[in-house]
């Protein structure tokens, strides 16, 4: 029987300590180095840690972090309860590592239909712990030391540190605002890439470009023409496309969400990322997925099996049932994918009106549940501090939550360090909120405006 | 243009996996599955009830605190303060992860890099090696040896494996697959070496509650000089028989945990909320009865001890030599006494891989080959062993009994 080595090992050690040949304490090499790995350099700061804490401490109305304050739909909650309490208690045990079979099957069916392709659930779909982990797998699987990754600004903040952690070099290209016509309110469509500028960012070291459409934080929904420009460059330079499409169902005014993977030459080089959290208003479930060709997904699987291996079973079972319902109701008025954007569009319009009425200039988003507003007219409340390290909008947002109880996120949070002051008079609001919340936000804004005009 | 997009260097050679091979086969319902380590017994009913209650609370379906849901980290700090006899700050000394697997990954990514060596005790839970390699470091193996096989010269090997490049040692107690529970004396030897060489200790203690009579689980972090250099990893899956919840945790000093938190915020950011809340409630229930034998931490252990004894008896009656584990829910068995001749089968595979595949097809019983848990130098030494999992309901063990009783009749 394999048993303790104990006493004899200890005895041996005591003897050896005194013998001439024993190397003395040799920890100096380690002592001079920090304990943490170099891959963590420069990625320890995180905007959310600070702003979530501020919102928790000061806010009465939280339009900051992106999550709904309304519940997931009943059919989804019911599916969850059925899964956890059903006769099959094996749903509390490990499922298939690359995705629970009922979930990958329905995702393959659903996205196969949307893409006009036959998808194999076992090789063209991989389930992840939220879209966040899907992004992580992509960078770890494809970005080596020295590889460049193009990131379009403003960007969901995790892209940059994830590229760095993989040893890659982020290369930024901005969306630039064009003045709207005739004094109308700006739309997210007015923020555009300069094709020549974009083309200049591609080099032989470019491994991938990250596309986020609909875009967080602006709400931009890239048009077919814009996607074709990106696709052409990807094909020309043999570059991968990591396509973050978590807000795919949240598009307004009859706009269409176009999947870049459906463009010529793109399926073979694109990983599509989706999220149950955003699709079904259940951000706390942390179920996401990747869809793509096996020759790319197989490497995501390798990262996944060496990092988390399995995702929680019960939520996957419930999301599978959610998708089964949506496949049956696809395009019909009762479909959640039809109802949710309809409701959110109303909320968007409500918030746009609220902000416009008090002099904050909203940029009308074509998609997502975020809205960015220009706060230039409110600058007098928060004086400029020359030579401040902190971007203006960040100081403004902190002042606003502490003094007005209204939480929002500064746009500079979505820019790289060097560009944080390029657009520093905008803040981002999340409008996936109950009517009462949006009304309370309006009350704060109205009161603020009154105080400004009648001090 | 030829497609140039292959995998990154960090995952080169890490694509194959013993589970992919064997879990697919065992999915066939006609096979009695004693292979992969997952319970087919039900989790305790109050754990399922707590999850049902949570699903009805709207805000618990949205994001929670990234490093761990507040009520869960608080519950964990309470339980472990009591076990460790020291203050544990829920916000700075704990990280909640996607299973203990996620804790191992976060720890290794946070603290291990190219140029480092990491000591792994063989046999080992198979993910340690690829995770160390993915971090760019070199795994250094030390085998556990069966005293009955002679050869105590391995004691020198322990000392010789530590050098200035040794960043960490991975300890697993109670041990998967052997079921060894390291004694205080053994832990002290390891601790002395860690302190002498300023080495970190990654202590995988997922089976911490599953120790059998006459044994005590000791946390190496409680030995003098060890708290500041140890990350202790735990698992809800193993504690509450809910492997599919994929929740685990790392506990340690703030100056180490903060780096794990940085990895976490750059990999998946937050773990599922409803599962964390339900787990917090379950821990609350058992924390209150930690002086009571009915506490699930102890009652599960008692239940498993009788399954262990039954499993051992069945195997012995079939003419096999099981290694009786002191902890965990795995039992390894020397199958060489059965003299199953597989020499005409694929030479390249180790004997135990061939044996398990043969056993699945001809006996409809699955297990896991022990060489899956060995480094390249040691595979041959352990290839006469296979691993059975015994956290199985009575009917599963009954079915295994039938197969084992009829074994000799079929091969006669």
């Amino acid at each position: 029987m394999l048993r303790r080595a104990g006493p004899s090992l200890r005895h041996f050690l005591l003897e050896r300590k005194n013998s001439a040949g024993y190397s003395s304490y040799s920890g100096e090499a380690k002592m001079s180095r920090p304990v943490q790995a170099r891959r963590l350099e420069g990625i320890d700061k995180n905007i959310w840690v600070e702003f979530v804490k501020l919102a928790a401490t000061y806010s009465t109305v939280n339009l900051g972090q992106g999550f709904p304050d309304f519940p997931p739909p009943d059919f989804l909650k019911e599916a969850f309860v059925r899964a956890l309490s059903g006769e099959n208690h094996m749903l509390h045990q490990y499922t298939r590592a690359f995705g629970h079979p009922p979930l990958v099957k329905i995702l393959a069916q659903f996205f196969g239909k949307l893409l006009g392709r036959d998808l194999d659930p076992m090789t063209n779909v991989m389930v992840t712990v939220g879209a966040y982990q899907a992004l992580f797998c992509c960078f770890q699987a494809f970005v080596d030391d020295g590889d460049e990754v193009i990131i379009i600004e403003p960007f969901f903040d995790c892209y940059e540190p994830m590229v760095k952690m993989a040893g890659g070099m982020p290369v930024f290209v901005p969306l630039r605002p064009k003045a709207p016509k005739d004094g109308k309110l700006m739309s997210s469509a007015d923020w555009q890439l300069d094709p020549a500028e974009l083309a200049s960012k591609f080099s032989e070291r470019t491994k991938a470009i990250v596309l986020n459409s609909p875009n967080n934080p602006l709400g931009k929904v890239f048009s077919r023409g814009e996607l074709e420009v990106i696709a052409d460059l990807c094909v020309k330079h043999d570059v991968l496309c990591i396509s973050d499409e978590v807000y795919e169902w949240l598009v307004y005014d009859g706009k269409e969400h176009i999947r870049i993977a459906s463009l010529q030459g793109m399926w073979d080089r694109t990983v599509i990322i989706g999220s149950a959290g955003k699709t079904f208003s259940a951000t706390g479930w942390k179920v996401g997925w990747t869809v793509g060709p096996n020759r790319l997904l197989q490497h995501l699987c390798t990262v996944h099996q060496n990092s988390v291996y399995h995702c929680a079973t019960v939520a996957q079972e419930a999301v599978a049932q959610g998708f089964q319902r949506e496949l049956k109701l696809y395009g019909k008025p009762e479909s959640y994918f039809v109802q949710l954007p309809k409701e959110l569009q109303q909320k968007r319009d409500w918030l746009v009106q609220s902000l416009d009425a008090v002099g904050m200039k909203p940029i009308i988003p074509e998609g997502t549940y975020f809205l960015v507003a220009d706060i230039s007219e409110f600058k007098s409340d928060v004086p400029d501090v020359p030579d401040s390290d902190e971007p203006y909008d960040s100081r403004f947002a902190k002042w606003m939550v502490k003094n007005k109880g209204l939480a929002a996120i500064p746009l500079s949070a979505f820019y790289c360090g060097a560009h944080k002051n390029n657009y520093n008079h905008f803040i981002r609001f999340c409008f996936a909120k109950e009517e009462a919340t949006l009304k309370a936000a309006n009350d704060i804004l109205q009161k603020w405006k009154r105080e400004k005009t009648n001090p | 243009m030829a497609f140039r997009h292959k995998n990154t260097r960090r995952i080169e050679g890490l694509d194959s996996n013993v589970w992919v091979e064997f879990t697919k086969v065992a999915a066939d319902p006609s096979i009695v599955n004693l292979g992969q380590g997952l319970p087919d017994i039900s989790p305790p009913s109050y754990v399922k009830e707590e999850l049902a209650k949570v699903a009805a609370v709207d805000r618990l379906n949205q994001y929670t605190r990234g490093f761990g849901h507040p009520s869960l980290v608080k519950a964990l700090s309470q339980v472990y303060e009591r076990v460790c006899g020291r203050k544990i700050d829920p916000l700075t000394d704990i990280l909640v992860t996607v299973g203990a697997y996620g804790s191992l990954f976060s720890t290794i990514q946070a603290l291990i890099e190219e140029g480092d060596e990491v000591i792994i005790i063989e046999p080992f839970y198979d993910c340690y090696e690829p995770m160390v390699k993915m971090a760019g470091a070199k795994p250094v193996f030390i085998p556990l040896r069966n005293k009955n096989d002679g050869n105590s010269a391995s004691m020198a090997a322990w000392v010789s494996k530590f050098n200035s490049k040794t960043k960490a040692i991975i300890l697993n107690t109670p041990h998967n697959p052997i079921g060894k529970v390291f004694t205080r004396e053994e832990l002290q030897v390891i601790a002395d070496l860690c302190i002498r060489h300023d080495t970190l200790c990654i202590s995988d203690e997922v089976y911490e509650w599953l120790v059998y009579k006459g044994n005590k689980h000791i946390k190496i972090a409680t030995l003098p000089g060890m708290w500041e250099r140890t990350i202790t990893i735990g698992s809800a899956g193993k504690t509450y028989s809910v492997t599919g919840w994929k929740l685990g945790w790392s506990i340690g000093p703030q100056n180490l945990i903060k780096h794990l938190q940085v990895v976490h915020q750059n990999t998946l950011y937050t773990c599922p909320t409803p599962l964390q809340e339900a787990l917090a409630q379950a821990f609350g229930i058992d924390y209150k009865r930690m002086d009571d034998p009915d506490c699930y931490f102890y009652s599960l252990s008692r239940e498993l001890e009788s399954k262990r004894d039954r499993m051992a008896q069945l195997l012995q009656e079939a003419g096999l030599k099981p290694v009786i584990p002191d902890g965990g829910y795995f039992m390894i068995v020397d199958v060489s006494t059965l003299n199953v001749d597989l020499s005409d089968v694929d030479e390249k595979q180790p004997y135990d891989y061939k044996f398990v595949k043969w056993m699945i097809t001809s006996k409809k019983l699955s297990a896991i080959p022990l060489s899956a848990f060995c480094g390249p130098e040691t595979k041959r030494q352990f290839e006469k062993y296979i691993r059975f999992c015994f956290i199985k309901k009575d009917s599963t063990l009954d079915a295994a009994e039938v197969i084992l009783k009829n074994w000799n009749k079929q091969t006669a």
Side-chain angles (χ1 to χ4, degrees):
Chain A
M1 183 165 328
L2 282 145
R3 298 299 286 189
R4 60 204 70 182
S8 54
L9 180 56
R10 187 175 180 78
H11 172 74
F12 184 79
L13 180 63
L14 288 168
E15 273 196 316
R16 286 280 279 165
K17 224 160 88 173
N18 299 323
S19 84
Y22 191 83
S23 62
S24 59
Y25 177 69
S26 50
E28 282 92 15
K30 284 201 288 296
M31 291 287 275
S32 56
R33 262 202 284 150
V35 70
Q36 75 274 19
R38 278 179 299 254
R39 68 178 65 82
L40 303 191
E41 235 160 81
I43 64 169
D44 50 316
K45 296 273 175 297
N46 185 281
I47 185 94
W48 304 106
V49 177
E50 206 184 353
F51 277 88
V52 166
K53 223 191 287 184
L54 281 170
T57 314
Y58 296 104
S59 76
T60 48
V61 179
N62 186 359
L63 303 190
Q65 196 188 3
F67 60 88
D69 70 356
F70 49 78
D74 285 338
F75 67 82
L76 195 76
K77 290 195 291 182
E78 281 156 21
F80 190 81
V81 174
R82 270 198 307 274
L84 71 95
S85 54
E87 269 184 28
N88 181 11
H89 61 77
M90 291 308 283
L91 289 175
H92 292 280
Q93 306 307 334
Y94 294 131
T95 182
R96 179 177 167 268
F98 304 131
H100 187 51
L103 179 56
V104 293
K105 285 198 182 98
I106 191 68
L107 286 172
Q109 248 186 307
F110 206 98
F111 286 94
K113 182 185 153 97
L114 293 171
L115 293 163
R117 268 183 189 270
D118 248 320
L119 296 182
D120 179 344
M122 300 292 131
T123 58
N124 296 133
V125 182
M126 188 187 84
V127 174
T128 55
V129 180
Y132 215 96
Q133 195 228 338
L135 288 160
F136 178 73
C137 288
C138 287
F139 295 120
Q140 289 286 310
F142 298 117
V143 178
D144 249 324
D145 265 19
D147 285 342
E148 289 180 4
V149 177
I150 297 174
I151 297 175
I152 300 166
E153 288 179 311
F155 57 91
F156 179 55
D157 70 296
C158 81
Y159 303 157
E160 183 186 3
M162 283 194 185
V163 167
K164 285 179 162 162
M165 190 173 160
M169 175 97 88
V171 170
F172 301 99
V173 59
L175 287 163
R176 294 182 185 280
K178 289 177 142 83
K181 300 184 177 69
D182 312 328
K184 283 169 79 174
L185 284 174
M186 202 181 254
S187 152
S188 55
D190 295 320
W191 287 63
Q192 295 169 7
L193 288 171
D194 177 331
E197 189 179 11
L198 176 64
S200 75
K201 303 292 180 177
F202 282 75
S203 80
E204 328 166 306
R205 284 172 307 283
T206 309
K207 195 68 199 287
I209 178 169
V210 185
L211 173 68
N212 176 217
S213 181
N215 166 282
N216 171 12
L218 281 174
K220 177 182 177 64
V221 174
F222 284 70
S223 67
R224 185 174 292 278
E226 288 171 312
L227 293 176
E228 274 165 359
V229 168
I230 295 171
D232 286 347
L233 286 163
C234 284
V235 171
K236 177 174 174 194
H237 294 273
D238 191 19
V239 161
L240 297 177
C241 181
I242 299 168
S243 186
D244 178 351
E245 302 183 23
V246 297
Y247 300 104
E248 56 190 315
W249 301 109
L250 307 185
V251 286
Y252 311 122
D253 307 316
K255 272 219 97 122
E256 192 196 347
H257 168 66
I258 297 163
R259 294 180 172 81
I260 197 170
S262 63
L263 266 56
Q264 182 90 354
M266 289 307 286
W267 166 256
D268 282 318
R269 59 181 67 257
T270 304
V271 176
I272 307 170
I273 293 173
S275 157
K278 308 298 191 280
T279 294
F280 288 111
S281 311
T283 59
W285 287 24
K286 292 291 292 187
V287 174
W289 53 82
T290 53
V291 172
N294 183 44
R295 67 178 180 177
L296 295 181
L297 252 60
Q298 64 181 333
H299 303 308
L300 302 184
C301 289
T302 304
V303 175
H304 184 75
Q305 88 195 22
N306 288 300
S307 55
V308 304
Y309 206 5
H310 298 87
C311 301
T313 315
V314 171
Q316 291 190 64
E317 174 72 25
V319 171
Q321 293 183 28
F323 264 109
Q324 279 152 12
R325 175 204 195 257
E326 286 303 303
L327 185 62
K328 284 200 198 82
L329 295 173
Y330 186 73
K332 303 209 167 79
E334 321 94 279
S335 154
Y336 189 68
F337 300 167
V338 169
Q339 289 180 339
L340 182 63
K342 203 155 152 239
E343 267 178 48
L344 284 172
Q345 181 169 327
Q346 276 182 341
K347 294 177 191 291
R348 175 198 72 168
D349 295 343
W350 224 86
L351 184 61
V352 164
Q353 221 179 9
S354 254
L355 293 166
D356 194 25
V358 302
M360 282 193 186
K361 301 230 175 13
I363 299 166
I364 305 182
E366 302 155 273
T368 78
Y369 45 51
F370 299 111
L371 182 163
V372 170
D374 182 338
I375 42 95
S376 304
E377 261 176 56
F378 283 71
K379 272 183 148 175
S380 51
D381 292 62
V382 185
D384 241 319
V385 170
D387 304 324
S388 168
D389 267 341
E390 194 176 2
Y392 179 80
D393 55 354
S394 179
R395 288 181 38 248
F396 185 93
K398 287 182 185 172
W399 180 92
M400 187 173 78
V401 71
K402 286 180 184 160
N403 293 279
K404 302 295 174 191
L406 177 62
I409 305 292
L411 192 68
S412 58
F414 306 94
Y415 283 86
C416 70
H419 300 164
K420 279 194 194 302
N421 286 307
N422 292 5
Y423 301 96
N424 61 1
H425 47 94
F426 293 95
I427 54 179
R428 183 199 83 170
F429 293 98
C430 170
F431 55 85
K433 306 291 174 187
E434 303 270 30
E435 219 177 277
T437 313
L438 295 173
K439 185 170 189 313
N442 186 56
D443 291 342
I444 291 176
L445 291 165
Q446 289 288 330
K447 181 161 182 278
W448 190 354
K449 166 122 195 257
R450 278 197 303 275
E451 282 161 8
K452 281 167 77 64
T453 49
N454 307 311
Chain B
M1 198 191 291
F3 191 72
R4 64 183 167 109
H5 296 287
K6 54 189 289 275
N7 52 287
T8 46
R9 280 188 297 270
R10 69 178 62 85
I11 55 172
E12 187 60 43
L14 305 188
D15 49 316
S16 67
N17 187 284
V18 65
W19 309 108
V20 175
E21 255 194 283
F22 288 94
T23 51
K24 224 190 299 184
V25 175
D28 173 354
S30 73
I31 311 270
V32 177
N33 187 1
L34 303 187
Q36 192 189 6
L38 83 177
D40 67 4
I41 60 173
S42 174
S45 51
Y46 61 90
V47 167
K48 294 189 283 183
E49 278 153 24
E50 289 304 329
L51 188 57
K53 275 190 226 155
V54 160
V57 179
D58 291 347
R59 64 176 170 78
L60 293 175
N61 288 297
Q62 308 304 334
Y63 291 131
T64 182
R65 177 176 168 269
F67 305 142
H69 187 55
S71 60
L72 177 58
V73 293
K74 180 138 195 305
L76 288 168
S77 74
Q78 277 183 318
V79 169
Y80 286 103
E81 271 179 2
R82 200 196 129 117
V83 171
C84 297
R86 73 174 297 135
K87 188 103 188 44
I88 295 173
D89 184 319
L91 301 183
T92 60
D93 301 347
I94 301 180
L95 173 67
V96 175
T97 54
V98 176
Y101 216 97
S103 270
L104 287 160
F105 184 74
S106 298
T107 303
I108 291 169
Q109 286 285 309
L111 304 172
I112 308 295
E113 60 185 350
E114 215 174 300
D116 288 339
E117 290 183 9
V118 177
I119 295 177
I120 297 176
I121 301 165
E122 293 175 293
F124 53 90
Y125 180 57
D126 72 298
C127 81
Y128 302 161
E129 184 187 0
M131 282 191 185
V132 166
K133 285 179 163 166
M134 190 170 159
K138 177 175 167 206
V140 169
F141 300 103
I142 294 183
L144 284 171
R145 290 196 193 267
N146 188 333
K147 261 174 50 164
N148 298 335
D149 288 349
N151 191 4
S152 60
S154 61
M155 302 316 111
W158 274 85
V159 174
S160 71
K161 302 291 183 182
F162 281 76
N163 60 53
S164 61
K165 294 207 197 92
T166 311
K167 191 70 190 282
I169 176 170
I170 301 178
L171 173 68
N172 178 216
T173 181
H175 183 270
N176 173 13
I178 291 176
K180 177 183 175 63
V181 174
F182 283 70
T183 61
R184 185 175 291 278
E185 286 144 332
E186 288 170 317
L187 294 178
Q188 193 62 63
V189 171
I190 295 171
D192 287 346
L193 285 163
C194 285
I195 293 165
R196 173 172 288 275
H197 292 271
D198 192 24
T199 297
L200 299 171
C201 181
I202 302 171
S203 189
D204 176 352
E205 300 182 13
V206 297
Y207 302 104
E208 57 187 308
W209 303 111
L210 307 182
V211 284
Y212 306 125
K213 277 203 216 73
N215 297 277
K216 188 172 192 299
H217 173 67
I218 293 163
K219 289 182 164 310
I220 197 170
T222 59
L223 269 54
M226 289 307 286
W227 170 259
E228 54 256 43
R229 60 182 68 254
T230 306
I231 301 286
T232 306
I233 293 172
S235 157
K238 311 297 190 274
T239 299
Y240 281 109
S241 311
V242 287
T243 58
W245 285 29
K246 286 293 294 193
L247 283 176
W249 46 85
S250 300
I251 299 181
Q254 176 176 11
N255 69 295
L256 294 180
I257 293 288
K258 71 182 185 193
H259 300 305
L260 277 66
Q261 290 176 337
V262 170
V263 171
H264 188 78
Q265 88 196 17
N266 288 297
T267 53
L268 48 98
Y269 203 88
T270 177
C271 293
T273 316
L275 297 171
Q276 290 190 73
E277 174 66 25
L279 186 61
Q281 297 301 321
F283 266 117
I285 290 169
D286 283 301
Y287 174 69
K288 287 195 193 74
R289 48 184 192 169
M290 275 178 90
D291 285 323
D292 190 331
D294 282 341
C295 176
Y296 189 70
F297 307 157
Y298 320 135
S299 66
L300 177 63
S301 184
R302 286 194 302 274
E303 189 185 340
L304 285 174
E305 186 159 352
S306 49
K307 290 184 192 289
R308 175 196 74 166
D309 295 343
R310 184 180 173 194
M311 184 90 238
Q313 197 182 11
L314 296 178
L315 293 167
Q316 281 156 349
E317 282 167 4
L320 289 161
K321 287 199 301 181
V323 174
I324 313 293
D326 293 324
Y329 48 57
F330 299 109
M331 184 176 288
I332 67 169
V333 184
D334 178 348
V335 297
S336 58
T337 48
L338 295 173
N339 289 315
V340 175
D341 182 4
L342 298 165
S343 49
D344 54 347
V345 185
D346 174 16
E347 266 303 300
K348 287 186 244 99
Q349 289 223 313
Y351 180 81
D352 53 356
Y353 268 74
K354 297 194 287 192
F355 183 91
V356 170
K357 287 182 181 169
W358 168 84
M359 187 173 72
I360 290 173
T361 359
S362 60
K363 302 294 180 189
K364 300 285 192 194
L365 177 64
S366 78
I368 299 292
L370 207 68
S371 53
F373 302 94
C374 296
E377 316 282 309
T378 340
K379 282 193 200 293
R380 289 281 157 204
Q381 278 151 36
F382 288 99
E383 66 173 342
K384 55 181 183 170
Y385 289 95
I386 64 176
R387 184 197 82 170
F388 285 111
C389 170
F390 55 84
I391 185 165
K392 301 291 175 185
K393 54 189 198 273
D394 288 341
S395 55
T396 308
L397 295 176
D398 292 341
E401 179 169 9
V402 169
I403 294 172
L404 290 164
K405 281 204 154 83
N406 288 324
W407 190 290
N408 291 319
K409 293 181 192 156
Q410 286 183 326
T411 52

